[in-house]
Amino acid sequence: MNATINLENKHFPVLLKELISIISPLYGGTFIDCTFGQGGYSEKILESKENNIIALDRDKDVLSNTSKFYKKYNKRFEFYNLKFSQIDQIKFKKHKIKGIIFDLGFSLSQIKNPQKGLSFSDKGKLNMKMGINDFSANDVISNMDEKNLTKVFKVFGDEKYSKKIAREIVIKRKDKALKTEDLVEIIDNVKKYQK
């Protein structure tokens, strides 16, 4: 019998061995996983019964991953649906924190989820909210003035044609609500004519 393994949605935490060698969880302690995601780092740390995990993630979709952790690790696992910038909202009085982990960036499953609107390969409404953000990429593209759009593209995107892209967005959005494919077309056209 041949078994086919679907690895498309399987998450592999990057540099897991290296992380474990640095934080030395074998000796026990409480660790904070600030970007829980699918729980790869937390699961490895919790293999040692001396360890506890306090996990955070801003993405509400990870809540489905937490139930198995609560079931398997019971009181050794806590989860908070918070941004890591809100870590001060957690009371750590009973915990002696041994290490804090940040795995910054998006997972492949997040990028491939069209509802999240993280990929320029997808079509439809711009999103990029990642759970508990107050505004989406659609809000920014639809409402932000040209000057601030220029800053967003220049500062956060390191885009040398930020001013021209912002100008084109402001012009095009007068005619219709811009979708992901429209934004891609604007950026491609601006860059094509600058060469």
Side-chain angles (χ1 to χ4, degrees):
M1 183 170 103
N2 289 336
T4 304
I5 300 171
N6 182 3
L7 298 178
E8 189 171 324
N9 293 319
K10 177 78 174 144
H11 177 69
F12 298 97
V14 295
L15 302 173
L16 181 60
K17 286 181 186 174
E18 292 81 357
L19 172 78
I20 296 303
S21 72
I22 291 168
I23 64 172
S24 304
L26 294 173
Y27 306 107
T30 297
F31 296 86
I32 304 172
D33 186 348
C34 288
T35 48
F36 176 72
Q38 294 182 24
Y41 296 120
S42 291
E43 191 162 35
K44 188 69 177 171
I45 292 166
L46 287 166
E47 283 179 2
S48 171
K49 294 187 178 359
E50 305 298 316
N51 293 329
N52 299 299
I53 286 285
I54 298 168
L56 295 83
D57 205 297
R58 70 189 300 154
D59 188 352
K60 291 178 183 169
D61 289 347
V62 306
L63 291 171
S64 60
N65 298 333
T66 62
S67 57
K68 74 173 185 178
F69 277 80
Y70 278 116
K71 202 178 284 185
K72 187 172 181 181
Y73 302 110
N74 199 1
K75 294 178 181 173
R76 296 195 299 125
F77 177 76
E78 294 175 40
F79 177 78
Y80 298 89
N81 188 209
L82 297 170
K83 301 174 189 176
F84 55 72
S85 61
Q86 297 170 306
I87 197 169
D88 59 335
Q89 294 180 22
I90 301 171
K91 307 290 184 231
F92 296 110
K93 288 179 184 170
K94 66 178 183 173
H95 299 283
K96 185 175 180 187
I97 307 303
K98 186 171 180 189
I100 302 176
I101 302 156
F102 294 86
D103 179 12
L104 304 176
F106 301 117
S107 70
L108 185 59
S109 62
Q110 289 171 322
I111 292 169
K112 288 188 152 212
N113 181 342
Q115 279 76 41
K116 293 200 179 298
L118 295 171
S119 172
F120 288 119
S121 300
D122 291 329
K123 294 186 185 226
K125 193 172 182 179
L126 291 156
N127 186 1
M128 301 185 183
K129 279 183 79 165
M130 287 302 295
I132 55 177
N133 286 7
D134 294 329
F135 56 90
S136 68
N138 184 61
D139 296 328
V140 172
I141 295 299
S142 299
N143 302 310
M144 191 174 276
D145 64 49
E146 187 177 335
K147 184 179 177 184
N148 283 312
L149 275 173
T150 300
K151 282 184 191 174
V152 166
F153 286 112
K154 187 172 183 66
V155 174
F156 297 110
D158 197 25
E159 177 54 62
K160 70 178 181 177
Y161 303 122
S162 57
K163 193 170 187 172
K164 288 179 170 48
I165 291 169
R167 182 76 196 124
E168 283 301 308
I169 288 170
V170 170
I171 291 168
K172 301 278 187 195
R173 74 184 184 196
K174 288 177 185 173
D175 298 329
K176 65 175 183 172
L178 299 178
K179 294 184 176 180
T180 304
E181 56 268 33
D182 300 316
L183 182 59
V184 169
E185 185 180 357
I186 288 168
I187 294 168
D188 284 347
N189 286 340
V190 166
K191 290 183 175 241
K192 187 171 24 177
Y193 293 117
Q194 300 309 310
K195 291 179 180 177

